[in-house]
Amino acid sequence: MVVVTSTTRNQVWTALPPIGDRDDRPLDLPQLDAATQAQVVARLLSPDFDAWSVAASRVGFCAKPIRLVGQSRTFDKTTGELVRCYASADEPTGVTFVRCGNRRASECESCSRLYAADTFHLIRSGVTGGKGVPATVGENPLVFATLTAPSFGPVHGVRPNNGRCRPRRDTGARCPHGRPLSCMAIHADEDIAVGQPLCPDCYDYASQVVWQWWAPELWRRFTITLRRMLAHHVGVLPAHLGDVASVQYAKVAEYQLRGAVHFHALVRLDGPQTTDGFAHAPTQVTARVLSALVEQAVRAVRVTADPVHDGDVPRVLALGVQVDTRPVRTSSRTDDPDRELTPEQVAGYLAKYATKSASDTEAKDSTHLRRLHATARSMAARAVSAEEDPTAPYGLLGKWAHTLGFRGHFATKSRRYSVTLGALRRARQRAQARIVEANRTGTPIDLRAIEAELLADVEDEATVVIGSWAYAGTGWANDGETALATAAASRAREYAQERARIRSEHNRNRLRGNTDDSSKIFTGR
């Protein structure tokens, strides 16, 4: 284990936020081989460590930053005057680092945290308003729905109330392959058997791959069916639904332990489409009615899938029979007023799911998931390729075999649900520029007061930027630098969690009228 403390290398501490008052807490880099340890020590003792730490902090300690070389020049449109010039050659490292932008926590903790934060604000603004969305959206019916995949064979699982996995009266019953059809065990969440089939030879791996392939189409048809059912409920033709109501949603996909994708979605009913897109919903459709319609639409959706290859069979696909729909309100859950389901909780759930991937599920490295991968690759090899026939329905299956056949986006939303990720990223870039300028001039800045300006969908018309950039590589120079960046990203996560905990405690004390604020929010150095 390499332990870097503030005593041995103060520069590390200047690049990292403290965790509360524990400024002397070391930065641990466990499980490093001798070569990586030597690289860490060499970087810490290098004369350009300060420049490296600044470059790493600029990209949020990204695990796999993109290295670029080139330059950009900013000109005044009116006069043609060169306003500013930036070149990677001016950097101490000789290159410009930019974030990898990977949403998967298993690939880059730093960028996935940023993606989750953006997703959180995107989802929450569609529930309570903010980020350019009026607060009146909180008055419209809202449902939190979970749409699952159907069963492809019995699997081990954790049951409610410490129940047994798969109890049967005839405990001696066996499948055609001689394996028991029952399981009397009580599994815990960390049990390696959870998500594994009772009989791998009975499990329909091929159908699961095909279902994953058509899952985006199932979701599309679900939204169409829901709109038709809403039109019938309010007494208008489906083509005229937009005159009285519109359906908006935000959806993320998550892998279950059995390797099957399921969808978590917030479905909101708005009124007729307007300029800002957030009119009041028709009064005859309450959150409970919308919840019932969502469940009915899920059960009605069907997709007929063609055979993957000559030896395959056609299938009629549907969503799973296990559907969870919960009306959401900003104050309490309508199905159980004593248990609150707050917008922040829902947004946090979906943001967490959005940063997961098939690789997170594969961390268990089970025989079941390996066989599912092998099935996807085998079916792709036998399918008609896109090169042979561009219209072949499974022509690109091989490209998505690593995601177990799922080819959809992991996070999507309807056009008018809320703000876009692009707008949030653009606002963050503008805010960072404002902060730099404020620090340079010593002028205080209130970002909340200028939020609308930061989110405005307009570009700077006074200047034009002309750049010439080339790709120079991906990642840090060696494993030692990567280990330092990854450890720093973990420290930043701990800092954010601690800050959130103290802020939450501060707010609770304030609501209780406790003036003794012993949980003062800290902002770091």
Side-chain angles (χ1 to χ4, degrees):
M1 174 185 295
V2 176
V3 179
V4 181
T5 66
S6 55
T7 303
T8 59
R9 196 60 173 170
N10 289 331
Q11 288 93 327
V12 177
W13 243 228
T14 63
L16 296 175
I19 305 299
D21 297 327
R22 296 172 291 171
D23 289 349
D24 60 344
R25 185 169 180 255
L27 179 68
D28 295 335
L29 304 171
Q31 299 178 350
L32 300 182
D33 55 35
T36 305
Q37 289 186 30
Q39 292 168 354
V40 169
V41 173
R43 169 46 72 191
L44 293 174
L45 299 178
S46 62
D48 64 340
F49 176 78
D50 288 343
W52 181 87
S53 63
V54 170
S57 63
R58 283 178 179 172
V59 293
F61 303 104
C62 172
K64 299 177 182 179
I66 309 300
R67 302 192 302 274
L68 301 176
V69 293
Q71 64 177 356
S72 62
R73 296 182 178 182
T74 303
F75 295 92
D76 188 294
K77 281 187 176 181
T78 304
T79 64
E81 178 186 0
L82 178 63
V83 178
R84 70 181 68 92
C85 180
Y86 171 79
S88 59
D90 297 333
E91 296 287 347
T93 55
V95 297
T96 296
F97 292 98
V98 298
R99 284 179 173 270
C100 70
N102 201 310
R103 66 163 187 84
R104 296 187 293 273
S106 58
E107 296 295 324
C108 181
E109 181 177 348
S110 173
C111 291
S112 72
R113 284 184 61 243
L114 191 63
Y115 180 88
D118 286 344
T119 303
F120 175 86
H121 288 292
L122 180 152
I123 292 170
R124 185 176 64 174
S125 64
V127 178
T128 60
K131 308 299 180 185
V133 180
T136 53
V137 297
E139 302 171 7
N140 287 342
L142 184 69
V143 170
F144 182 39
T146 299
L147 283 58
T148 63
S151 173
F152 304 102
V155 298
H156 296 278
V158 179
R159 309 305 174 198
N161 302 319
N162 267 350
R164 299 187 182 278
C165 177
R166 287 189 171 272
R168 290 175 62 107
R169 291 183 180 274
D170 52 339
T171 55
R174 294 183 176 272
C175 72
H177 304 96
R179 296 185 177 91
L181 293 175
S182 63
C183 175
M184 304 301 291
I186 300 175
H187 297 299
D189 290 333
E190 62 276 7
D191 195 327
I192 61 173
V194 174
Q196 311 306 301
L198 272 65
C199 176
D201 295 323
C202 290
Y203 195 86
D204 194 350
Y205 286 93
S207 290
Q208 179 168 335
V209 171
V210 173
W211 188 92
Q212 308 255 83
W213 182 254
W214 292 104
E217 177 64 14
L218 283 165
W219 171 263
R220 189 184 74 88
R221 296 198 184 187
F222 157 73
T223 61
I224 294 173
T225 303
L226 177 60
R227 290 185 177 98
R228 289 174 176 170
M229 289 184 171
L230 276 167
H232 177 74
H233 184 81
V234 298
V236 299
L237 294 174
H240 298 155
L241 178 63
D243 297 334
V244 294
S246 63
V247 177
Q248 309 299 331
Y249 65 84
K251 166 185 70 72
V252 298
E254 182 199 15
Y255 283 96
Q256 296 174 304
L257 289 176
R258 58 174 172 151
V261 163
H262 61 179
F263 299 122
H264 301 280
L266 274 171
V267 181
R268 190 184 73 223
L269 184 67
D270 291 347
Q273 294 185 2
T274 60
T275 303
D276 61 9
F278 305 104
H280 290 287
T283 56
Q284 63 264 46
V285 182
T286 64
R288 286 186 177 275
V289 170
L290 180 60
S291 177
L293 291 174
V294 167
E295 189 166 343
Q296 292 174 27
V298 167
R299 301 189 188 285
V301 172
R302 296 291 185 274
V303 170
T304 300
D306 294 332
V308 179
H309 47 75
D310 291 339
D312 198 20
V313 296
R315 299 172 176 84
V316 177
L317 307 178
L319 292 163
V321 295
Q322 293 183 344
V323 184
D324 183 16
T325 60
R326 305 182 187 183
V328 178
R329 286 184 179 173
T330 57
S331 57
S332 65
R333 281 175 30 177
T334 54
D335 59 338
D336 187 351
D338 295 330
R339 295 178 58 194
E340 293 186 352
L341 183 61
T342 66
E344 286 75 13
Q345 286 177 317
V346 176
Y349 295 155
L350 297 187
K352 178 191 72 173
Y353 298 143
T355 59
K356 296 180 69 175
S357 68
S359 57
D360 296 313
T361 302
E362 293 161 19
K364 300 179 84 171
D365 191 29
S366 66
T367 303
H368 170 64
L369 290 175
R370 289 197 297 269
R371 183 164 177 176
L372 195 56
H373 263 295
T375 301
R377 291 192 296 268
S378 174
M379 296 179 75
R382 299 180 63 183
V384 177
S385 67
E387 290 79 7
E388 297 172 326
D389 181 4
T391 64
Y394 302 96
L396 297 177
L397 179 57
K399 178 181 177 181
W400 301 101
H402 69 288
T403 60
L404 310 179
F406 179 65
R407 53 175 168 161
H409 293 287
F410 282 86
T412 57
K413 74 175 189 67
S414 59
R415 184 185 299 268
R416 293 176 178 266
Y417 172 80
S418 68
V419 67
T420 65
L421 287 176
L424 291 174
R425 291 163 182 161
R426 184 173 58 245
R428 181 168 56 249
Q429 293 173 350
R430 291 172 176 170
Q432 290 171 345
R434 296 290 186 90
I435 292 172
V436 170
E437 182 65 17
N439 291 338
R440 186 183 66 82
T441 61
T443 305
I445 182 174
D446 185 354
L447 294 178
R448 291 187 178 183
I450 61 172
E451 181 180 79
E453 181 182 344
L454 296 175
L455 288 166
D457 190 16
V458 294
E459 299 296 336
D460 184 2
E461 298 180 356
T463 60
V464 60
V465 179
I466 300 177
S468 176
W469 294 93
Y471 172 74
T474 299
W476 299 106
N478 52 51
D479 292 339
E481 291 187 359
T482 301
L484 277 173
T486 302
S490 297
R491 170 58 56 83
R493 184 195 69 243
E494 295 172 5
Y495 168 74
Q497 291 172 341
E498 180 77 2
R499 185 175 60 179
R501 184 191 65 79
I502 292 178
R503 182 185 291 111
S504 177
E505 184 177 345
H506 167 78
N507 291 335
R508 285 197 300 269
N509 289 338
R510 180 171 54 83
L511 292 173
R512 293 169 182 167
N514 185 359
T515 57
D516 181 16
D517 187 6
S518 59
S519 58
K520 184 175 292 183
I521 300 176
F522 62 90
T523 57
R525 289 188 174 90

